[in-house]
């Protein structure tokens, strides 16, 4: 199976927080667990642009940092 096949058949998940309060004009990030064990991340408004791939340990480290607030400044308006 090619990478494109894996992405086309993937079960993409989007956060219930995606869409924003400005009429849904914000980009939405979605994720999918792929058969080879990697996690794909893409912009759901532009899925044709491709995806970024992470190992499960990389994703676990990212989520741990998010939960600890290490990236909160990246979501702030005007920064």
């Amino acid at each position: 199976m090619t990478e494109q096949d894996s992405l086309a058949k993937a079960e993409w998940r989007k956060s219930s927080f995606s869409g924003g309060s400005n009429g849904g004009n914000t980009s939405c990030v979605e994720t999918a667990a792929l058969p080879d064990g990697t996690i794909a991340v893409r912009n759901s408004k532009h899925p044709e642009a491709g995806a970024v791939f992470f190992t499960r340990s990389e994703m676990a480290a990212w989520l741990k940092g998010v939960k600890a607030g290490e990236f909160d400044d990246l979501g702030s308006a005007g920064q």
Side-chain angles (χ1 to χ4, degrees):
M1 182 179 310
T2 68
E3 182 179 294
Q4 287 293 67
D5 290 338
S6 292
L7 294 177
K9 294 178 182 178
E11 290 186 36
W12 291 95
R13 298 186 331 185
K14 184 171 28 176
S15 169
S16 61
F17 294 96
S18 292
S21 59
N22 63 354
N25 292 328
T26 60
S27 294
C28 299
V29 175
E30 57 187 357
T31 62
L34 301 180
D36 67 359
T38 60
I39 306 296
V41 180
R42 71 179 183 185
N43 180 335
S44 65
K45 298 224 183 226
H46 301 286
E48 72 284 351
V52 179
F53 302 93
F54 298 93
T55 65
R56 292 214 177 247
S57 62
E58 290 168 336
M59 184 58 72
W62 167 256
L63 291 172
K64 187 175 180 179
V66 168
K67 290 176 183 178
E70 294 177 6
F71 306 102
D72 287 355
D73 63 309
L74 298 176
S76 300
Q79 298 223 353

Coordinates of all heavy atoms in Angstrom, one line a residue:
M1 N 0.8 -1.2 0.0 CA 0.0 0.0 0.0 C 0.9 1.2 0.0 O 1.8 1.3 0.8 CB -0.9 0.0 1.2 CG -1.9 1.2 1.3 SD -3.0 1.2 2.7 CE -3.7 -0.4 2.8
T2 N 0.6 2.2 -0.9 CA 1.4 3.4 -0.9 C 1.0 4.4 0.2 O -0.1 4.2 0.8 CB 1.2 4.1 -2.3 OG1 -0.1 4.6 -2.4 CG2 1.5 3.2 -3.4
E3 N 1.8 5.4 0.4 CA 1.5 6.4 1.4 C 0.1 7.1 1.0 O -0.7 7.3 1.9 CB 2.6 7.5 1.4 CG 2.4 8.6 2.4 CD 3.5 9.5 2.4 OE1 4.7 9.1 2.8 OE2 3.3 10.7 2.0
Q4 N -0.1 7.4 -0.2 CA -1.4 8.0 -0.6 C -2.5 7.1 -0.3 O -3.6 7.6 0.1 CB -1.3 8.4 -2.1 CG -0.4 9.6 -2.5 CD -1.0 10.9 -1.9 OE1 -1.0 11.0 -0.7 NE2 -1.4 11.8 -2.7
D5 N -2.4 5.8 -0.6 CA -3.5 4.9 -0.2 C -3.7 4.9 1.2 O -4.9 4.8 1.7 CB -3.1 3.4 -0.7 CG -3.0 3.3 -2.2 OD1 -3.7 4.1 -2.9 OD2 -2.4 2.3 -2.7
S6 N -2.7 4.9 2.1 CA -2.8 4.9 3.5 C -3.6 6.1 4.0 O -4.5 6.0 4.8 CB -1.5 4.8 4.2 OG -0.9 3.6 4.0
L7 N -3.3 7.3 3.4 CA -3.9 8.5 3.8 C -5.4 8.5 3.3 O -6.3 9.0 4.1 CB -3.2 9.7 3.2 CG -1.8 9.9 3.8 CD1 -1.1 11.1 3.1 CD2 -1.8 10.1 5.3
A8 N -5.6 8.0 2.1 CA -7.0 8.0 1.6 C -7.9 7.1 2.4 O -9.1 7.4 2.6 CB -7.0 7.6 0.2
K9 N -7.4 6.0 2.9 CA -8.1 5.0 3.7 C -8.1 5.2 5.2 O -8.8 4.6 5.9 CB -7.6 3.6 3.4 CG -7.9 3.2 2.0 CD -7.3 1.8 1.7 CE -7.5 1.4 0.2 NZ -6.9 0.1 -0.1
A10 N -7.4 6.2 5.6 CA -7.2 6.5 7.1 C -8.5 7.0 7.7 O -9.3 7.7 7.0 CB -6.1 7.5 7.3
E11 N -8.7 6.7 8.9 CA -9.8 7.2 9.7 C -9.4 8.5 10.4 O -8.7 8.4 11.4 CB -10.3 6.2 10.7 CG -11.0 5.0 10.0 CD -11.6 4.1 11.1 OE1 -12.1 4.6 12.1 OE2 -11.6 2.9 10.8
W12 N -9.6 9.6 9.8 CA -9.2 10.9 10.3 C -10.1 11.4 11.5 O -11.3 11.2 11.4 CB -9.2 12.0 9.2 CG -8.1 11.7 8.2 CD1 -8.3 11.0 7.0 CD2 -6.8 12.0 8.2 NE1 -7.1 10.9 6.3 CE2 -6.1 11.5 7.1 CE3 -6.0 12.7 9.2 CZ2 -4.8 11.7 6.8 CZ3 -4.7 12.9 8.9 CH2 -4.1 12.4 7.8
R13 N -9.4 11.9 12.5 CA -10.1 12.5 13.6 C -9.8 13.9 13.8 O -8.7 14.4 13.7 CB -9.7 11.7 14.9 CG -10.0 10.3 14.8 CD -9.8 9.5 16.1 NE -8.7 10.1 16.9 CZ -8.3 9.5 18.0 NH1 -8.8 8.4 18.5 NH2 -7.3 10.0 18.7
K14 N -10.9 14.7 14.0 CA -10.7 16.2 14.2 C -11.3 16.5 15.6 O -12.3 16.0 16.0 CB -11.5 16.9 13.1 CG -11.3 18.4 13.2 CD -11.9 19.1 12.0 CE -13.0 18.4 11.3 NZ -13.6 19.2 10.2
S15 N -10.6 17.4 16.3 CA -11.0 17.8 17.6 C -12.4 18.5 17.5 O -12.7 19.3 16.6 CB -10.0 18.8 18.2 OG -10.5 19.4 19.4
S16 N -13.2 18.4 18.6 CA -14.4 19.1 18.6 C -14.2 20.6 18.8 O -15.1 21.4 18.7 CB -15.3 18.5 19.8 OG -14.6 18.7 21.0
F17 N -13.0 21.0 19.2 CA -12.6 22.4 19.3 C -12.3 23.0 18.0 O -12.1 24.2 17.9 CB -11.5 22.6 20.3 CG -11.8 22.1 21.7 CD1 -11.5 20.9 22.1 CD2 -12.5 23.0 22.5 CE1 -11.8 20.5 23.4 CE2 -12.8 22.6 23.8 CZ -12.5 21.4 24.3
S18 N -12.1 22.2 16.9 CA -11.8 22.8 15.6 C -13.0 23.5 15.0 O -14.1 23.2 15.3 CB -11.4 21.7 14.6 OG -10.2 21.1 15.0
G19 N -12.7 24.5 14.2 CA -13.7 25.3 13.5 C -13.8 26.7 14.0 O -14.1 27.6 13.3
G20 N -13.4 26.9 15.3 CA -13.3 28.3 15.8 C -14.6 28.9 16.0 O -15.7 28.4 15.6
S21 N -14.6 30.1 16.6 CA -15.8 30.8 16.9 C -16.0 31.9 15.9 O -16.9 32.7 16.1 CB -15.7 31.4 18.3 OG -14.5 32.3 18.4
N22 N -15.2 32.0 14.9 CA -15.3 33.0 13.9 C -16.0 32.5 12.6 O -15.6 32.9 11.5 CB -13.9 33.7 13.6 CG -13.0 32.6 13.0 OD1 -13.3 31.5 12.9 ND2 -11.8 33.1 12.6
G23 N -16.9 31.7 12.8 CA -17.7 31.2 11.6 C -17.0 30.0 10.9 O -17.4 29.7 9.8
G24 N -16.1 29.4 11.5 CA -15.4 28.2 11.0 C -14.3 28.5 10.0 O -14.0 27.7 9.2
N25 N -13.8 29.7 10.0 CA -12.8 30.1 9.0 C -11.4 29.7 9.5 O -10.4 29.9 8.7 CB -12.8 31.6 8.8 CG -14.0 32.0 8.0 OD1 -14.6 31.3 7.2 ND2 -14.5 33.2 8.3
T26 N -11.2 29.1 10.7 CA -9.9 28.7 11.1 C -9.5 27.4 10.5 O -10.4 26.6 10.1 CB -9.9 28.6 12.6 OG1 -10.8 27.7 13.1 CG2 -10.1 30.0 13.3
S27 N -8.3 27.1 10.4 CA -7.8 25.8 9.9 C -8.1 24.8 11.0 O -8.1 25.1 12.2 CB -6.3 25.9 9.7 OG -6.0 26.8 8.6
C28 N -8.3 23.6 10.6 CA -8.6 22.5 11.5 C -7.5 21.4 11.3 O -7.2 21.0 10.2 CB -9.9 21.9 11.2 SG -11.3 23.1 11.4
V29 N -6.9 21.0 12.4 CA -5.9 20.0 12.3 C -6.6 18.6 12.7 O -7.5 18.6 13.6 CB -4.8 20.2 13.4 CG1 -3.8 19.1 13.4 CG2 -4.1 21.5 13.0
E30 N -6.3 17.6 11.9 CA -6.8 16.3 12.2 C -5.7 15.3 12.1 O -4.7 15.5 11.5 CB -8.0 15.9 11.2 CG -7.6 16.0 9.7 CD -8.8 15.8 8.8 OE1 -9.9 15.6 9.3 OE2 -8.6 15.8 7.6
T31 N -6.0 14.2 12.8 CA -5.0 13.1 12.9 C -5.5 11.8 12.5 O -6.7 11.6 12.5 CB -4.5 13.0 14.4 OG1 -5.6 12.6 15.2 CG2 -3.9 14.3 14.9
A32 N -4.6 10.9 12.2 CA -5.0 9.5 11.8 C -3.9 8.5 12.2 O -2.7 8.8 12.0 CB -5.3 9.4 10.4
A33 N -4.3 7.4 12.8 CA -3.3 6.4 13.1 C -3.2 5.5 11.8 O -4.2 5.0 11.3 CB -3.7 5.5 14.3
L34 N -2.0 5.3 11.3 CA -1.8 4.5 10.1 C -1.4 3.1 10.4 O -1.0 2.8 11.5 CB -0.7 5.2 9.2 CG -1.1 6.7 8.8 CD1 0.1 7.2 8.0 CD2 -2.4 6.8 8.1
P35 N -1.6 2.2 9.4 CA -1.4 0.8 9.6 C 0.1 0.5 10.1 O 0.3 -0.5 10.8 CB -1.6 0.1 8.3 CG -2.6 1.1 7.6 CD -2.2 2.4 8.1
D36 N 1.0 1.3 9.7 CA 2.4 1.1 10.0 C 2.8 1.6 11.4 O 3.9 1.5 11.9 CB 3.4 1.6 9.0 CG 3.4 3.1 9.0 OD1 2.6 3.8 9.7 OD2 4.2 3.7 8.2
G37 N 1.8 2.1 12.1 CA 2.0 2.6 13.5 C 2.3 4.1 13.6 O 2.4 4.6 14.7
T38 N 2.5 4.8 12.5 CA 2.8 6.2 12.6 C 1.5 7.0 12.7 O 0.4 6.4 12.5 CB 3.5 6.7 11.4 OG1 2.8 6.4 10.2 CG2 4.9 6.1 11.2
I39 N 1.6 8.2 13.1 CA 0.5 9.1 13.3 C 0.6 10.2 12.2 O 1.7 10.8 12.1 CB 0.4 9.8 14.7 CG1 0.5 8.7 15.8 CG2 -0.8 10.7 14.8 CD1 -0.7 7.8 15.8
A40 N -0.4 10.4 11.4 CA -0.4 11.4 10.4 C -1.2 12.6 10.9 O -2.2 12.5 11.6 CB -1.1 10.9 9.1
V41 N -0.7 13.8 10.6 CA -1.4 15.0 11.0 C -1.5 15.9 9.7 O -0.5 16.0 9.0 CB -0.5 15.8 12.0 CG1 -1.2 17.1 12.5 CG2 -0.3 14.9 13.3
R42 N -2.7 16.5 9.5 CA -2.9 17.3 8.3 C -3.9 18.4 8.6 O -4.6 18.4 9.6 CB -3.3 16.5 7.1 CG -4.8 16.0 7.3 CD -5.2 15.2 6.0 NE -6.6 14.8 6.2 CZ -7.2 14.1 5.3 NH1 -6.6 13.6 4.2 NH2 -8.5 13.7 5.5
N43 N -3.9 19.4 7.7 CA -4.9 20.5 7.8 C -6.2 20.0 7.1 O -6.1 19.7 5.9 CB -4.4 21.7 7.1 CG -5.3 22.9 7.1 OD1 -6.5 22.7 7.2 ND2 -4.8 24.1 7.0
S44 N -7.3 19.8 7.8 CA -8.5 19.3 7.2 C -9.1 20.2 6.1 O -9.8 19.7 5.3 CB -9.5 19.0 8.2 OG -10.0 20.2 8.9
K45 N -8.8 21.5 6.1 CA -9.3 22.4 5.1 C -8.5 22.2 3.8 O -9.0 22.7 2.8 CB -9.3 23.8 5.6 CG -10.1 24.0 6.8 CD -10.9 25.2 6.8 CE -11.7 25.4 8.1 NZ -13.0 25.7 7.8
H46 N -7.3 21.7 3.9 CA -6.4 21.5 2.7 C -5.8 20.1 2.8 O -4.5 20.0 2.8 CB -5.4 22.6 2.6 CG -6.0 24.0 2.6 ND1 -6.6 24.5 1.4 CD2 -6.1 24.9 3.5 CE1 -7.0 25.7 1.7 NE2 -6.8 26.0 2.9
P47 N -6.5 19.0 2.8 CA -5.9 17.7 2.9 C -5.0 17.3 1.7 O -4.1 16.5 1.8 CB -7.1 16.8 3.0 CG -8.3 17.5 2.4 CD -8.0 19.0 2.7
E48 N -5.2 18.0 0.6 CA -4.4 17.7 -0.6 C -3.0 18.2 -0.4 O -2.1 17.8 -1.2 CB -5.0 18.3 -1.9 CG -4.9 19.8 -1.9 CD -5.9 20.6 -1.1 OE1 -6.8 20.0 -0.5 OE2 -5.7 21.8 -0.9
A49 N -2.8 19.0 0.6 CA -1.4 19.6 0.8 C -0.5 18.5 1.5 O 0.7 18.8 1.6 CB -1.5 20.8 1.7
G50 N -1.0 17.4 1.9 CA -0.2 16.4 2.5 C -0.3 16.3 4.0 O -1.1 17.0 4.6
A51 N 0.5 15.5 4.5 CA 0.5 15.3 6.0 C 1.9 15.2 6.5 O 2.9 15.1 5.8 CB -0.2 14.0 6.3
V52 N 2.0 15.4 7.8 CA 3.3 15.2 8.5 C 3.1 14.0 9.4 O 2.1 13.7 9.9 CB 3.5 16.5 9.5 CG1 4.8 16.3 10.2 CG2 3.5 17.7 8.7
F53 N 4.2 13.2 9.5 CA 4.1 11.9 10.1 C 5.0 11.9 11.4 O 6.1 12.4 11.4 CB 4.6 10.8 9.2 CG 3.8 10.8 7.9 CD1 4.2 11.5 6.8 CD2 2.6 10.1 7.9 CE1 3.5 11.5 5.6 CE2 1.8 10.1 6.7 CZ 2.3 10.8 5.6
F54 N 4.5 11.2 12.4 CA 5.1 11.1 13.7 C 5.1 9.7 14.2 O 4.1 9.0 14.0 CB 4.5 12.0 14.8 CG 4.5 13.5 14.4 CD1 3.4 14.1 13.7 CD2 5.6 14.2 14.8 CE1 3.5 15.4 13.4 CE2 5.6 15.6 14.5 CZ 4.5 16.2 13.8
T55 N 6.1 9.3 14.9 CA 6.1 8.0 15.6 C 5.2 8.1 16.8 O 4.9 9.2 17.2 CB 7.5 7.5 16.0 OG1 8.0 8.4 17.0 CG2 8.5 7.4 14.9
R56 N 4.8 7.0 17.4 CA 3.9 7.1 18.6 C 4.7 7.7 19.7 O 4.1 8.5 20.5 CB 3.5 5.7 19.0 CG 2.5 5.2 17.9 CD 1.4 4.3 18.6 NE 0.5 3.9 17.5 CZ -0.8 4.3 17.5 NH1 -1.2 5.1 18.4 NH2 -1.5 3.8 16.5
S57 N 6.0 7.5 19.8 CA 6.7 8.1 20.9 C 6.9 9.6 20.7 O 6.8 10.4 21.6 CB 8.1 7.5 21.1 OG 8.9 7.6 20.0
E58 N 7.0 10.1 19.5 CA 7.1 11.5 19.2 C 5.7 12.1 19.5 O 5.7 13.2 20.1 CB 7.4 11.7 17.7 CG 8.8 11.4 17.3 CD 9.1 11.3 15.8 OE1 8.1 11.1 15.0 OE2 10.3 11.5 15.4
M59 N 4.6 11.5 19.1 CA 3.3 12.0 19.4 C 3.1 12.1 20.9 O 2.5 13.0 21.5 CB 2.2 11.2 18.7 CG 0.8 11.8 18.9 SD 0.6 13.5 18.3 CE 0.6 13.3 16.6
A60 N 3.5 11.1 21.6 CA 3.4 11.0 23.1 C 4.1 12.2 23.7 O 3.6 12.8 24.7 CB 3.8 9.7 23.7
A61 N 5.3 12.5 23.3 CA 6.1 13.6 23.8 C 5.4 14.9 23.5 O 5.3 15.8 24.3 CB 7.5 13.6 23.2
W62 N 4.9 15.1 22.3 CA 4.2 16.3 21.9 C 2.9 16.5 22.8 O 2.7 17.6 23.4 CB 3.7 16.2 20.4 CG 2.7 17.2 20.0 CD1 1.4 17.1 19.8 CD2 3.0 18.6 19.8 NE1 0.8 18.3 19.5 CE2 1.8 19.2 19.5 CE3 4.1 19.4 19.9 CZ2 1.7 20.6 19.2 CZ3 4.0 20.8 19.6 CH2 2.8 21.3 19.3
L63 N 2.1 15.4 23.0 CA 0.9 15.5 23.8 C 1.3 15.9 25.3 O 0.6 16.7 25.9 CB 0.1 14.3 23.7 CG -0.5 14.0 22.4 CD1 -1.2 12.6 22.3 CD2 -1.6 15.1 22.0
K64 N 2.3 15.3 25.7 CA 2.8 15.6 27.1 C 3.1 17.1 27.3 O 2.7 17.7 28.2 CB 4.0 14.7 27.5 CG 4.4 14.8 28.9 CD 5.5 13.8 29.2 CE 6.0 13.9 30.6 NZ 7.0 12.9 30.9
G65 N 3.8 17.6 26.3 CA 4.2 19.0 26.3 C 2.9 19.9 26.2 O 2.8 20.9 26.8
V66 N 2.0 19.5 25.3 CA 0.7 20.3 25.2 C 0.0 20.3 26.5 O -0.4 21.4 27.0 CB -0.1 19.7 24.1 CG1 -1.5 20.3 24.1 CG2 0.5 19.9 22.7
K67 N -0.2 19.2 27.1 CA -0.9 19.1 28.4 C -0.2 19.9 29.5 O -0.8 20.4 30.4 CB -1.0 17.6 28.8 CG -2.0 16.9 27.9 CD -2.1 15.4 28.3 CE -3.0 14.6 27.3 NZ -3.0 13.2 27.7
A68 N 1.1 20.0 29.4 CA 1.9 20.8 30.4 C 1.9 22.3 30.1 O 2.4 23.0 30.9 CB 3.3 20.2 30.5
G69 N 1.3 22.7 29.0 CA 1.2 24.1 28.7 C 2.4 24.6 28.0 O 2.5 25.9 27.8
E70 N 3.3 23.8 27.5 CA 4.6 24.2 26.9 C 4.4 25.0 25.6 O 5.3 25.7 25.2 CB 5.5 23.1 26.7 CG 6.0 22.4 28.0 CD 6.9 21.2 27.7 OE1 7.2 20.9 26.6 OE2 7.2 20.5 28.7
F71 N 3.2 24.8 25.0 CA 3.0 25.5 23.7 C 1.8 26.5 23.7 O 1.4 26.9 22.6 CB 2.8 24.4 22.6 CG 3.9 23.3 22.6 CD1 3.7 22.1 23.2 CD2 5.1 23.6 22.0 CE1 4.7 21.1 23.2 CE2 6.1 22.7 22.0 CZ 5.9 21.4 22.6
D72 N 1.4 26.8 24.8 CA 0.2 27.7 25.0 C 0.5 29.0 24.2 O -0.5 29.6 23.7 CB -0.1 28.0 26.4 CG -0.7 26.8 27.1 OD1 -1.0 25.8 26.4 OD2 -0.9 26.9 28.3
D73 N 1.7 29.5 24.2 CA 1.9 30.8 23.6 C 1.7 30.8 22.1 O 1.4 31.8 21.4 CB 3.4 31.3 23.9 CG 4.4 30.3 23.3 OD1 4.3 29.1 23.5 OD2 5.3 30.8 22.6
L74 N 1.8 29.6 21.5 CA 1.6 29.4 20.0 C 0.1 29.6 19.6 O -0.1 29.9 18.5 CB 2.1 28.1 19.5 CG 3.6 27.8 19.8 CD1 3.9 26.4 19.4 CD2 4.4 28.8 19.0
G75 N -0.8 29.5 20.5 CA -2.2 29.6 20.2 C -2.7 31.0 20.6 O -3.9 31.3 20.3
S76 N -1.9 31.9 21.1 CA -2.3 33.2 21.5 C -2.5 34.1 20.2 O -1.6 34.1 19.3 CB -1.3 33.8 22.4 OG -1.2 33.1 23.6
A77 N -3.5 34.9 20.2 CA -3.8 35.8 19.1 C -2.7 36.9 19.1 O -2.3 37.3 20.2 CB -5.2 36.4 19.2
G78 N -2.3 37.3 17.9 CA -1.4 38.4 17.8 C 0.0 38.1 18.1 O 0.9 39.0 18.2
Q79 N 0.4 36.8 18.1 CA 1.8 36.5 18.3 C 2.4 35.8 17.1 O 1.8 35.3 16.3 CB 1.9 35.5 19.5 CG 1.4 36.1 20.8 CD 2.3 35.8 21.9 OE1 3.2 35.0 21.9 NE2 2.0 36.5 23.0

